[in-house]
C-alpha cells in the first residue's frame, strides 16, 4: 500500500505533523479526545438545520404507528405499541468497575437498555424501523389508502401489504440495521434486500432469510456493502434505499429516544440540571445512531448533557474525522488500519459526513478502546447485573472509567466549569446498544471469552 497517501490533496505525513493524535490512532493506541469545537448548545442550535420540531414530528409519527404495533407485534403491547427500552441504575457494576480500576467513579452509573428494544434488539430498532414506517406512510398516503385521522392498524390489512409489495427497500449494514429494516419491511409487505458486510453474524442472515428477506453478502467491509446497495437501488424508482451514511430520517428516528428518556428519568426521580449534569457514553459506528440520540439529548438537556462517542481502536472513524476536521474525507484504512473488531456493530472505517458535520458543535468528545475491554466488561455486566449484551454494546461502559482517570477526559469537567460536587451529583449514563437477540450459544461464547480475560 501507499505509505503516504494523499488525503484531500495533502500527503498523510503532513496531516500527521499537524495532528499528533493521528500517531496514536495509527499505532492502535487507546485514544481520548475532547472536542475543542463544542459550542454552547443555544449557539450550536442556531446554526443547525434540524430542530426540536423535526424530532417531535418523528415522535408523533411513531405515536400514530403505536396502533399498528399493538396489532402486528403483540410483544409491544406492554409499552402501548411504543418501541422503548428500560433505563436503570447499575450499582453493582459500578462497584465492580471501581474495584477493577482502583478508582471511584464519579456520580451514579446508569444504563439505557436499547439492547432490549422490541422487534430487533438493538438501537437500530429506533432509526431503522422509523425510516421503514415513514416510507410506508408516504406510499399509503400517495395511493390514497390512508387518510389523515385513519387508524394505523390498517397497515396490517392485506390491501396495504399488496400495495407495499410493489415497492422494495434496500440497505447496507454490518448486521443490526439490516435486521431492523428487514424484519419491519417484510412485515409490512415490502420486498427487502439487505447488503451485508463481512462482519455480519450468520444468525442475523439466517433470521432475515427466514422472513423472506434477500440477503446479499460481501467479502468487504461496511462502506462497500452500502455502496453496492445504493447503486442497485439507484436504477429502480420503486426502491427506497435507506442511506445509513446520509439519512436525515434515520437520524430523527434515533433522536426521538431523548424525548422519551426525559420522561423516564423524570419518573425515576433522576434530576438533570446545572447541579446534576448528565454524561452519556454512546458506541459509535457510522454515527447515525449515537449522533441522533446525542442531538436529541442536547435539544432536551442543553448544556447539562455531555455526550461522548466510543469506538474500537481498529475502527475509530468518527474520532479520526472529528479530531482532524477531515470528517468523512478520511478513513481508518488511510492510516493502514484494518477496520477489524469483535464489535461488529461498530466495524465502520469511514464516518458519516452528514453526522460528523452536524454533531461537531454538540459533541463533548470521543475515545477508542480495545476489544478485550469490551469482552471483560461484557462478563462483568453479566456477573453483576445479569445483563447479557453484545460486545459493541459495552463500548460506552469504559467512558466513566476514563472520565475518572484518563489524563485527557478527566480534565474535561473542569474545562467546562463543573465542580467536583457537581460531578458527584452527576448521572453517568451508558447507552447499551444491542444484544438481547443474540442466540444463547453465541452469547455463551462471548461471555466465556470475557470471563477468561478476567481470570487471566
Ligand atoms: C449500529 C450499532 C451501533 C452504532 O450505530 P451507528 O449508527 O452505526 O453509529 C452501536 N451498537 C450496535 C450494537 C450497533 O448495531
Amino acid at each position: 500500500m501507499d505509505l503516504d497517501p494523499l488525503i484531500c490533496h495533502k500527503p498523510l505525513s503532513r496531516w500527521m505533523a499537524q495532528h499528533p493524535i493521528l500517531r496514536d490512532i495509527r499505532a492502535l493506541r487507546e485514544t481520548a479526545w475532547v472536542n475543542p469545537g463544542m459550542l454552547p448548545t443555544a449557539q450550536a442550535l442556531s446554526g443547525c438545520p434540524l430542530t426540536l420540531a423535526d424530532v417531535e414530528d418523528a415522535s408523533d409519527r411513531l405515536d400514530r404507528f403505536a396502533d399498528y404495533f399493538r396489532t402486528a407485534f403483540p410483544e409491544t403491547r406492554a409499552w402501548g405499541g411504543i418501541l422503548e427500552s428500560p433505563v436503570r441504575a447499575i450499582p453493582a457494576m459500578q462497584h465492580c468497575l471501581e474495584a477493577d480500576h482502583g478508582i471511584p467513579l464519579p456520580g451514579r452509573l446508569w444504563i439505557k437498555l436499547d439492547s432490549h428494544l422490541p422487534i430487533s434488539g438493538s438501537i437500530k430498532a429506533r432509526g431503522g424501523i422509523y425510516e421503514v414506517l415513514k416510507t410506508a406512510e408516504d406510499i399509503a398516503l400517495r395511493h390514497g389508502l390512508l387518510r389523515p385521522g385513519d387508524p394505523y392498524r390498517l397497515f396490517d390489512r392485506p390491501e396495504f401489504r399488496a400495495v407495499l409489495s410493489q415497492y422494495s427497500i434496500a440497505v447496507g449494514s454490518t448486521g443490526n440495521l439490516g435486521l431492523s429494516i428487514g424484519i419491519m419491511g417484510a412485515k409490512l409487505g415490502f420486498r427487502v434486500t439487505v447488503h451485508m458486510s463481512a462482519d455480519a453474524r450468520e444468525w442475523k442472515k439466517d433470521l432475515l432469510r427466514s422472513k423472506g428477506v434477500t440477503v446479499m453478502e460481501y467479502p468487504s467491509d461496511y462502506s462497500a456493502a452500502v455502496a453496492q446497495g445504493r447503486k442497485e437501488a439507484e436504477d429502480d424508482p420503486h426502491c427506497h434505499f435507506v442511506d445509513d451514511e446520509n439519512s436525515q430520517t434515520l437520524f430523527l428516528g434515533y433522536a426521538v429516544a431523548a424525548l422519551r428518556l426525559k420522561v423516564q428519568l423524570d419518573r425515576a426521580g433522576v434530576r438533570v440540571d446545572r447541579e446534576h449534569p448528565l454524561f452519556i457514553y454512546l458506541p459509535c459506528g457510522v454515527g447515525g445512531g449515537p449522533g441522533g440520540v446525542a442531538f436529541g439529548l442536547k435539544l432536551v438537556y442543553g448544556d447539562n448533557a455531555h455526550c461522548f462517542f466510543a469506538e474500537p481502536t481498529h475502527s475509530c472513524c468518527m474520532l479520526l474525522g472529528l479530531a482532524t476536521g477531515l470528517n468523512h474525507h478520511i478513513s481508518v484504512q488511510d492510516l493502514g488500519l484494518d477496520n477489524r473488531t469483535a464489535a461488529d456493530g461498530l466495524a465502520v472505517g469511514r464516518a458519516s459526513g452528514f453526522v460528523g458535520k452536524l454533531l461537531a458543535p454538540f459533541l463533548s468528545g470521543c475515545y477508542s478502546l480495545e476489544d478485550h475491554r469490551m469482552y471483560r466488561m461484557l462478563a462483568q455486566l453479566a456477573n453483576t447485573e445479569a445483563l447479557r449484551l453484545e460486545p459493541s454494546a459495552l463500548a460506552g461502559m469504559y467512558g466513566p472509567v476514563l472520565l475518572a482517570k484518563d489524563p485527557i477526559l478527566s480534565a474535561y469537567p473542569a474545562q467546562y466549569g463543573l465542580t467536583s460536587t457537581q460531578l458527584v451529583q452527576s448521572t453517568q449514563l451508558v447507552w447499551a446498544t444491542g444484544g438481547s437477540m443474540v442466540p444463547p450459544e453465541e452469547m455463551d461464547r462471548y461471555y466465556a471469552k470475557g470471563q477468561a480475560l478476567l481470570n487471566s
Side-chain angles (χ1 to χ4, degrees), residues 56-133:
E56 285 170 340
D57 175 62
S59 177
D60 291 346
R61 183 164 292 106
L62 289 167
D63 287 348
R64 293 197 289 278
F65 271 99
D67 180 51
Y68 165 75
F69 281 110
R70 283 192 298 265
T71 311
F73 294 92
E75 69 267 32
T76 66
R77 280 185 202 152
W79 291 90
I82 294 295
L83 312 184
E84 202 35 79
S85 73
V87 60
R88 67 166 167 95
I90 44 170
M93 182 63 179
Q94 180 161 359
H95 291 142
C96 174
L97 288 172
E98 289 175 336
D100 194 12
H101 295 276
I103 192 161
L105 298 188
R108 289 188 67 199
L109 190 62
W110 279 63
I111 196 164
K112 176 64 175 160
L113 289 167
D114 274 6
S115 45
H116 291 67
L117 277 170
I119 299 180
S120 58
S122 80
I123 189 171
K124 304 298 194 309
R126 296 188 182 279
I129 288 179
Y130 174 70
E131 180 148 350
V132 174
L133 298 178

Coordinates of all heavy atoms in Angstrom, one line a residue, residues 56-133:
E56 N -40.0 16.2 17.1 CA -41.3 16.0 17.6 C -42.2 15.4 16.5 O -43.1 14.6 16.7 CB -41.9 17.3 18.1 CG -41.3 17.6 19.5 CD -41.7 19.0 20.0 OE1 -42.0 19.9 19.1 OE2 -41.6 19.3 21.2
D57 N -42.0 15.8 15.2 CA -42.7 15.3 14.1 C -42.5 13.8 14.0 O -43.4 13.0 13.8 CB -42.3 16.0 12.8 CG -42.9 15.4 11.6 OD1 -44.1 15.4 11.5 OD2 -42.2 14.9 10.7
A58 N -41.2 13.4 14.2 CA -40.9 11.9 14.1 C -41.5 11.2 15.3 O -42.1 10.1 15.1 CB -39.3 11.8 14.2
S59 N -41.5 11.8 16.4 CA -42.1 11.2 17.6 C -43.7 11.0 17.4 O -44.2 10.0 17.7 CB -41.9 12.1 18.8 OG -42.5 11.6 20.0
D60 N -44.3 12.0 16.8 CA -45.7 12.0 16.5 C -46.0 10.8 15.5 O -47.0 10.1 15.7 CB -46.3 13.3 15.9 CG -46.2 14.4 16.9 OD1 -46.1 14.1 18.1 OD2 -46.4 15.6 16.5
R61 N -45.2 10.7 14.5 CA -45.3 9.6 13.6 C -45.3 8.2 14.3 O -46.1 7.3 14.0 CB -44.3 9.7 12.5 CG -44.5 8.7 11.4 CD -43.7 9.0 10.1 NE -44.2 10.2 9.5 CZ -43.7 11.4 9.5 NH1 -42.6 11.6 10.1 NH2 -44.3 12.4 8.8
L62 N -44.3 8.1 15.1 CA -44.2 6.8 15.9 C -45.4 6.6 16.8 O -45.9 5.4 16.9 CB -42.9 6.8 16.7 CG -41.6 6.7 15.9 CD1 -40.4 7.0 16.7 CD2 -41.5 5.3 15.3
D63 N -46.0 7.6 17.3 CA -47.2 7.5 18.1 C -48.3 7.1 17.3 O -49.2 6.2 17.7 CB -47.5 8.9 18.8 CG -46.6 9.2 19.9 OD1 -45.8 8.3 20.4 OD2 -46.6 10.4 20.4
R64 N -48.4 7.6 16.0 CA -49.5 7.1 15.1 C -49.4 5.6 14.8 O -50.4 4.9 14.7 CB -49.5 7.9 13.8 CG -49.8 9.4 14.0 CD -50.2 10.0 12.7 NE -49.1 10.2 11.7 CZ -48.2 11.2 11.7 NH1 -48.3 12.1 12.6 NH2 -47.3 11.3 10.8
F65 N -48.2 5.1 14.7 CA -48.0 3.7 14.4 C -48.2 2.8 15.6 O -48.2 1.6 15.4 CB -46.6 3.5 13.8 CG -46.6 3.6 12.3 CD1 -46.2 4.8 11.7 CD2 -47.1 2.6 11.5 CE1 -46.2 5.0 10.3 CE2 -47.1 2.7 10.1 CZ -46.6 3.9 9.5
A66 N -48.3 3.4 16.8 CA -48.5 2.5 18.0 C -49.7 1.6 17.8 O -49.6 0.4 18.2 CB -48.7 3.4 19.2
D67 N -50.7 2.1 17.2 CA -51.9 1.3 17.0 C -51.6 0.1 16.1 O -52.1 -1.0 16.3 CB -52.9 2.3 16.2 CG -54.2 1.7 15.9 OD1 -54.8 1.1 16.8 OD2 -54.6 1.8 14.7
Y68 N -50.8 0.3 15.1 CA -50.3 -0.8 14.3 C -49.5 -1.8 15.1 O -49.7 -3.0 15.0 CB -49.5 -0.3 13.1 CG -48.7 -1.4 12.3 CD1 -49.4 -2.3 11.5 CD2 -47.4 -1.5 12.5 CE1 -48.7 -3.3 10.8 CE2 -46.6 -2.5 11.9 CZ -47.3 -3.4 11.0 OH -46.6 -4.3 10.4
F69 N -48.5 -1.3 15.8 CA -47.7 -2.3 16.6 C -48.4 -3.1 17.5 O -48.1 -4.3 17.7 CB -46.5 -1.5 17.3 CG -45.4 -1.1 16.3 CD1 -45.2 0.2 16.0 CD2 -44.6 -2.1 15.8 CE1 -44.2 0.6 15.1 CE2 -43.6 -1.7 14.9 CZ -43.4 -0.4 14.6
R70 N -49.4 -2.5 18.2 CA -50.2 -3.3 19.2 C -50.9 -4.5 18.5 O -51.0 -5.6 19.1 CB -51.3 -2.4 19.8 CG -50.7 -1.5 20.9 CD -51.8 -0.9 21.7 NE -52.7 0.0 20.9 CZ -52.6 1.3 20.8 NH1 -51.6 1.9 21.4 NH2 -53.4 2.0 20.0
T71 N -51.2 -4.3 17.2 CA -51.9 -5.4 16.4 C -50.8 -6.4 15.9 O -51.0 -7.6 16.0 CB -52.7 -4.8 15.3 OG1 -53.5 -3.7 15.7 CG2 -53.6 -5.8 14.6
A72 N -49.8 -5.8 15.2 CA -48.9 -6.7 14.4 C -47.8 -7.3 15.3 O -47.3 -8.3 14.9 CB -48.3 -5.8 13.3
F73 N -47.4 -6.6 16.4 CA -46.4 -7.1 17.2 C -46.9 -7.1 18.7 O -46.6 -6.2 19.4 CB -45.1 -6.3 17.1 CG -44.4 -6.4 15.8 CD1 -44.7 -5.4 14.8 CD2 -43.4 -7.3 15.5 CE1 -44.1 -5.5 13.6 CE2 -42.8 -7.4 14.3 CZ -43.1 -6.4 13.3
P74 N -47.6 -8.2 19.1 CA -48.2 -8.2 20.4 C -47.2 -7.9 21.6 O -47.5 -7.4 22.6 CB -48.8 -9.6 20.5 CG -48.9 -10.1 19.1 CD -47.9 -9.4 18.3
E75 N -45.9 -8.3 21.3 CA -44.9 -8.0 22.4 C -44.7 -6.6 22.7 O -44.1 -6.2 23.7 CB -43.5 -8.7 22.0 CG -42.8 -8.0 20.8 CD -43.1 -8.7 19.5 OE1 -44.2 -9.2 19.2 OE2 -42.2 -8.7 18.6
T76 N -45.3 -5.7 21.8 CA -45.1 -4.2 22.1 C -46.3 -3.7 22.9 O -46.3 -2.5 23.3 CB -45.0 -3.4 20.8 OG1 -46.3 -3.5 20.1 CG2 -44.0 -3.9 19.9
R77 N -47.2 -4.5 23.3 CA -48.4 -4.0 24.0 C -48.1 -3.5 25.4 O -48.7 -2.6 25.8 CB -49.5 -5.1 24.1 CG -50.3 -5.3 22.8 CD -51.4 -6.2 22.9 NE -51.7 -6.7 21.5 CZ -52.3 -7.8 21.2 NH1 -52.5 -8.7 22.2 NH2 -52.5 -8.1 20.0
A78 N -47.1 -4.1 26.0 CA -46.7 -3.7 27.4 C -46.3 -2.2 27.4 O -46.5 -1.5 28.4 CB -45.6 -4.6 27.9
W79 N -45.8 -1.7 26.3 CA -45.4 -0.3 26.2 C -46.4 0.5 25.4 O -46.2 1.6 24.9 CB -44.0 -0.2 25.4 CG -42.9 -0.7 26.2 CD1 -42.3 -2.0 26.2 CD2 -42.0 0.0 27.1 NE1 -41.2 -2.1 27.0 CE2 -41.0 -0.9 27.6 CE3 -42.0 1.3 27.5 CZ2 -40.0 -0.5 28.5 CZ3 -41.0 1.7 28.4 CH2 -40.0 0.8 28.9
G80 N -47.6 -0.1 25.2 CA -48.7 0.6 24.5 C -48.4 0.8 23.0 O -48.9 1.7 22.3
G81 N -47.6 -0.2 22.4 CA -47.3 -0.1 21.0 C -46.1 0.8 20.7 O -45.8 1.1 19.5
I82 N -45.5 1.4 21.7 CA -44.3 2.2 21.5 C -43.1 1.3 21.7 O -43.0 0.6 22.7 CB -44.3 3.4 22.6 CG1 -45.5 4.3 22.3 CG2 -43.0 4.1 22.6 CD1 -45.5 5.1 21.0
L83 N -42.1 1.4 20.8 CA -40.9 0.6 20.9 C -40.0 1.4 21.8 O -39.4 2.4 21.5 CB -40.2 0.4 19.5 CG -41.1 0.0 18.4 CD1 -40.2 -0.3 17.1 CD2 -41.9 -1.3 18.7
E84 N -39.8 0.9 23.1 CA -39.0 1.6 24.0 C -38.2 0.6 24.9 O -38.6 -0.6 24.9 CB -39.8 2.6 24.8 CG -39.0 3.7 25.5 CD -37.9 4.2 24.6 OE1 -38.1 5.0 23.7 OE2 -36.7 3.8 24.9
S85 N -37.2 1.1 25.5 CA -36.3 0.2 26.3 C -36.2 0.8 27.8 O -36.4 2.0 27.9 CB -35.0 0.1 25.7 OG -34.2 1.3 25.9
P86 N -35.9 -0.1 28.7 CA -35.8 0.4 30.1 C -34.5 1.2 30.3 O -33.5 1.0 29.6 CB -35.8 -0.8 31.0 CG -36.0 -2.0 30.0 CD -35.8 -1.5 28.7
V87 N -34.5 2.0 31.4 CA -33.3 2.7 31.8 C -33.2 2.4 33.3 O -34.2 2.4 34.0 CB -33.3 4.2 31.5 CG1 -34.4 4.9 32.2 CG2 -32.0 4.8 31.9
R88 N -32.0 2.0 33.8 CA -31.9 1.8 35.2 C -30.5 2.0 35.8 O -29.5 2.0 35.0 CB -32.4 0.4 35.6 CG -31.6 -0.8 35.1 CD -32.1 -2.0 35.8 NE -31.7 -3.3 35.3 CZ -30.7 -4.0 35.8 NH1 -29.9 -3.4 36.7 NH2 -30.5 -5.2 35.4
A89 N -30.4 2.1 37.1 CA -29.1 2.2 37.8 C -28.4 0.8 37.8 O -29.1 -0.2 37.8 CB -29.3 2.7 39.2
I90 N -27.1 0.8 37.7 CA -26.4 -0.5 37.8 C -25.3 -0.3 38.9 O -24.1 -0.3 38.5 CB -25.8 -0.9 36.4 CG1 -25.2 0.3 35.7 CG2 -26.9 -1.5 35.6 CD1 -24.4 -0.1 34.4
P91 N -25.7 -0.2 40.1 CA -24.7 0.0 41.2 C -23.7 -1.1 41.4 O -22.5 -0.9 41.7 CB -25.6 0.1 42.5 CG -26.9 -0.5 42.1 CD -27.1 -0.3 40.6
A92 N -24.1 -2.4 41.2 CA -23.2 -3.5 41.3 C -22.1 -3.4 40.3 O -20.9 -3.7 40.6 CB -23.9 -4.8 41.3
M93 N -22.4 -3.0 39.1 CA -21.4 -2.9 38.0 C -20.5 -1.7 38.3 O -19.3 -1.7 38.1 CB -22.1 -2.6 36.6 CG -21.2 -2.5 35.5 SD -20.2 -4.0 35.2 CE -19.2 -3.5 33.7
Q94 N -21.1 -0.7 38.9 CA -20.3 0.5 39.3 C -19.2 0.0 40.3 O -18.0 0.4 40.2 CB -21.1 1.6 39.9 CG -20.3 2.8 40.3 CD -21.1 4.1 40.5 OE1 -22.3 4.1 40.3 NE2 -20.5 5.2 40.8
H95 N -19.6 -0.7 41.3 CA -18.6 -1.2 42.3 C -17.6 -2.1 41.7 O -16.4 -2.0 42.0 CB -19.3 -2.0 43.4 CG -20.2 -1.1 44.3 ND1 -21.4 -1.5 44.8 CD2 -19.9 0.2 44.7 CE1 -21.9 -0.5 45.5 NE2 -21.0 0.5 45.5
C96 N -18.0 -2.9 40.7 CA -17.1 -3.8 40.1 C -16.0 -3.0 39.3 O -14.8 -3.3 39.3 CB -17.9 -4.7 39.1 SG -17.0 -5.8 38.1
L97 N -16.5 -2.0 38.5 CA -15.5 -1.2 37.8 C -14.6 -0.5 38.7 O -13.4 -0.3 38.4 CB -16.3 -0.2 36.8 CG -17.0 -0.8 35.6 CD1 -17.8 0.3 34.9 CD2 -16.0 -1.4 34.6
E98 N -15.1 0.0 39.8 CA -14.3 0.8 40.8 C -13.2 -0.2 41.3 O -12.0 0.3 41.5 CB -15.2 1.3 41.9 CG -16.0 2.5 41.3 CD -17.0 3.1 42.4 OE1 -17.4 2.3 43.3 OE2 -17.4 4.2 42.2
A99 N -13.6 -1.4 41.6 CA -12.6 -2.3 42.2 C -11.6 -2.7 41.1 O -10.4 -2.8 41.4 CB -13.3 -3.6 42.7
D100 N -12.1 -2.9 39.9 CA -11.2 -3.4 38.8 C -10.2 -2.3 38.5 O -9.0 -2.6 38.2 CB -12.1 -3.7 37.6 CG -11.3 -4.4 36.5 OD1 -10.2 -4.9 36.8 OD2 -11.9 -4.5 35.4
H101 N -10.6 -1.0 38.5 CA -9.7 0.0 38.1 C -9.1 0.8 39.2 O -8.3 1.7 39.0 CB -10.4 1.0 37.1 CG -10.8 0.3 35.8 ND1 -9.9 0.2 34.8 CD2 -11.9 -0.3 35.5 CE1 -10.5 -0.4 33.8 NE2 -11.8 -0.7 34.2
G102 N -9.5 0.4 40.5 CA -8.9 1.0 41.6 C -9.1 2.5 41.8 O -8.3 3.2 42.2
I103 N -10.3 2.9 41.4 CA -10.6 4.4 41.4 C -12.1 4.5 41.6 O -12.9 3.8 41.0 CB -10.1 5.1 40.1 CG1 -10.1 6.6 40.3 CG2 -10.8 4.6 38.9 CD1 -9.2 7.3 39.3
P104 N -12.6 5.5 42.4 CA -14.0 5.7 42.5 C -14.5 6.4 41.2 O -13.8 7.2 40.6 CB -14.2 6.7 43.7 CG -12.8 7.2 43.9 CD -11.8 6.4 43.3
L105 N -15.7 6.0 40.7 CA -16.3 6.6 39.5 C -17.2 7.8 40.0 O -17.8 7.7 41.0 CB -17.1 5.6 38.8 CG -16.4 4.4 38.2 CD1 -17.3 3.6 37.3 CD2 -15.1 4.8 37.5
P106 N -17.2 8.8 39.2 CA -18.0 10.0 39.6 C -19.5 9.7 39.4 O -19.9 8.9 38.5 CB -17.6 11.0 38.6 CG -17.1 10.3 37.4 CD -16.5 9.0 37.9
G107 N -20.3 10.2 40.3 CA -21.8 10.1 40.1 C -22.3 8.7 40.3 O -21.7 7.9 40.9
R108 N -23.5 8.6 39.7 CA -24.1 7.2 39.7 C -24.2 6.7 38.3 O -24.5 7.3 37.4 CB -25.6 7.4 40.3 CG -25.6 7.7 41.8 CD -27.0 7.6 42.3 NE -27.5 6.3 42.3 CZ -28.9 6.0 42.3 NH1 -29.7 6.9 42.4 NH2 -29.3 4.7 42.3
L109 N -23.9 5.4 38.2 CA -23.8 4.7 36.9 C -25.2 4.2 36.6 O -25.8 3.4 37.4 CB -22.8 3.6 37.0 CG -22.4 2.9 35.7 CD1 -21.8 3.9 34.7 CD2 -21.5 1.7 36.0
W110 N -25.7 4.5 35.4 CA -27.0 4.1 34.9 C -26.7 3.4 33.5 O -25.7 3.7 32.8 CB -27.9 5.2 34.7 CG -28.6 5.6 36.0 CD1 -28.0 6.1 37.1 CD2 -30.0 5.5 36.3 NE1 -28.9 6.3 38.1 CE2 -30.1 6.0 37.7 CE3 -31.1 5.1 35.6 CZ2 -31.4 6.0 38.3 CZ3 -32.4 5.2 36.3 CH2 -32.5 5.6 37.6
I111 N -27.7 2.7 33.1 CA -27.6 2.1 31.7 C -29.0 2.2 31.0 O -30.0 2.1 31.6 CB -27.3 0.6 31.9 CG1 -26.8 0.0 30.5 CG2 -28.4 -0.3 32.4 CD1 -26.0 -1.3 30.6
K112 N -28.9 2.5 29.7 CA -30.1 2.6 28.9 C -30.0 1.4 28.0 O -29.1 1.1 27.2 CB -30.0 3.9 28.0 CG -31.1 4.0 27.0 CD -32.5 4.1 27.7 CE -33.6 4.4 26.6 NZ -34.9 4.1 27.1
L113 N -31.1 0.5 28.1 CA -31.0 -0.8 27.6 C -31.6 -0.9 26.2 O -32.6 -1.7 25.9 CB -31.7 -1.8 28.5 CG -30.9 -2.0 29.8 CD1 -31.7 -2.8 30.8 CD2 -29.6 -2.8 29.5
D114 N -31.1 -0.2 25.2 CA -31.5 -0.3 23.8 C -31.2 -1.7 23.3 O -31.7 -2.2 22.3 CB -30.9 0.7 22.9 CG -31.7 2.0 22.9 OD1 -32.7 2.1 23.7 OD2 -31.4 2.9 22.1
S115 N -30.4 -2.4 24.0 CA -30.1 -3.9 23.7 C -31.4 -4.7 23.8 O -31.5 -5.7 23.3 CB -29.2 -4.4 24.8 OG -29.5 -3.9 26.1
H116 N -32.4 -4.1 24.5 CA -33.6 -4.8 24.8 C -34.8 -4.2 24.1 O -36.0 -4.4 24.5 CB -33.9 -5.0 26.3 CG -32.9 -5.9 26.9 ND1 -31.5 -5.6 27.0 CD2 -33.0 -7.2 27.4 CE1 -30.9 -6.7 27.5 NE2 -31.8 -7.6 27.8
L117 N -34.6 -3.4 23.1 CA -35.7 -2.8 22.3 C -36.4 -3.9 21.6 O -35.8 -4.9 21.2 CB -35.2 -1.8 21.3 CG -34.9 -0.4 21.8 CD1 -34.1 0.4 20.7 CD2 -36.2 0.3 22.1
P118 N -37.8 -3.8 21.6 CA -38.6 -4.9 20.9 C -38.2 -5.0 19.4 O -37.7 -4.1 18.8 CB -40.0 -4.4 21.1 CG -40.0 -3.3 22.0 CD -38.6 -2.8 22.1
I119 N -38.6 -6.1 18.8 CA -38.5 -6.4 17.4 C -37.1 -6.7 16.9 O -37.0 -7.8 16.3 CB -39.2 -5.3 16.5 CG1 -40.7 -5.2 16.9 CG2 -39.1 -5.6 15.0 CD1 -41.4 -4.1 16.2
S120 N -36.1 -5.9 17.1 CA -34.8 -6.3 16.6 C -33.7 -6.2 17.6 O -32.5 -6.4 17.2 CB -34.5 -5.5 15.3 OG -34.5 -4.1 15.6
G121 N -34.0 -5.8 18.8 CA -33.0 -6.0 19.9 C -31.7 -5.1 19.8 O -30.7 -5.5 20.3
S122 N -31.8 -4.0 19.2 CA -30.7 -3.1 19.1 C -31.1 -1.6 18.9 O -32.3 -1.4 18.6 CB -29.6 -3.5 18.1 OG -30.1 -3.0 16.8
I123 N -30.2 -0.7 19.1 CA -30.5 0.7 18.9 C -31.1 0.9 17.5 O -31.8 1.9 17.2 CB -29.2 1.6 19.1 CG1 -29.6 3.1 19.1 CG2 -28.1 1.2 18.1 CD1 -28.4 4.0 19.5
K124 N -30.8 0.0 16.5 CA -31.3 0.2 15.1 C -32.8 0.1 15.0 O -33.4 0.4 14.0 CB -30.6 -0.8 14.2 CG -29.1 -0.8 14.2 CD -28.6 0.5 13.7 CE -27.1 0.4 13.3 NZ -26.2 -0.2 14.4
A125 N -33.4 -0.5 16.1 CA -34.9 -0.5 16.1 C -35.4 0.9 16.2 O -36.6 1.1 16.0 CB -35.3 -1.4 17.3
R126 N -34.6 1.9 16.5 CA -35.1 3.3 16.5 C -35.1 3.8 15.1 O -36.2 4.0 14.5 CB -34.3 4.1 17.5 CG -34.3 3.7 18.9 CD -33.6 4.6 19.8 NE -33.6 4.2 21.2 CZ -34.7 4.3 22.0 NH1 -35.8 5.0 21.7 NH2 -34.6 3.9 23.3
G127 N -33.9 4.1 14.6 CA -33.9 4.8 13.3 C -34.3 3.9 12.2 O -35.1 4.3 11.3
G128 N -33.9 2.7 12.2 CA -34.2 1.8 11.1 C -35.7 1.5 10.9 O -36.2 1.7 9.8
I129 N -36.3 1.2 12.0 CA -37.7 0.9 11.9 C -38.5 2.2 11.6 O -39.4 2.2 10.8 CB -38.2 0.2 13.2 CG1 -37.7 -1.2 13.2 CG2 -39.8 0.3 13.3 CD1 -38.1 -2.0 14.5
Y130 N -38.1 3.3 12.2 CA -38.7 4.6 11.9 C -38.7 4.9 10.4 O -39.7 5.3 9.8 CB -38.1 5.7 12.7 CG -38.6 7.1 12.3 CD1 -40.0 7.4 12.6 CD2 -37.9 8.0 11.5 CE1 -40.5 8.6 12.2 CE2 -38.4 9.2 11.1 CZ -39.7 9.5 11.5 OH -40.3 10.7 11.1
E131 N -37.5 4.7 9.7 CA -37.5 5.0 8.3 C -38.4 4.1 7.5 O -39.0 4.6 6.5 CB -36.0 5.0 7.8 CG -35.9 5.3 6.3 CD -34.7 6.0 5.9 OE1 -33.9 6.5 6.7 OE2 -34.5 6.1 4.6
V132 N -38.5 2.9 7.8 CA -39.4 2.0 7.1 C -40.8 2.4 7.3 O -41.6 2.5 6.3 CB -39.2 0.5 7.6 CG1 -40.3 -0.4 7.0 CG2 -37.8 0.0 7.3
L133 N -41.2 2.8 8.5 CA -42.6 3.3 8.8 C -42.9 4.6 8.0 O -44.0 4.7 7.4 CB -42.8 3.6 10.3 CG -42.6 2.4 11.2 CD1 -42.8 2.8 12.6 CD2 -43.6 1.3 10.9

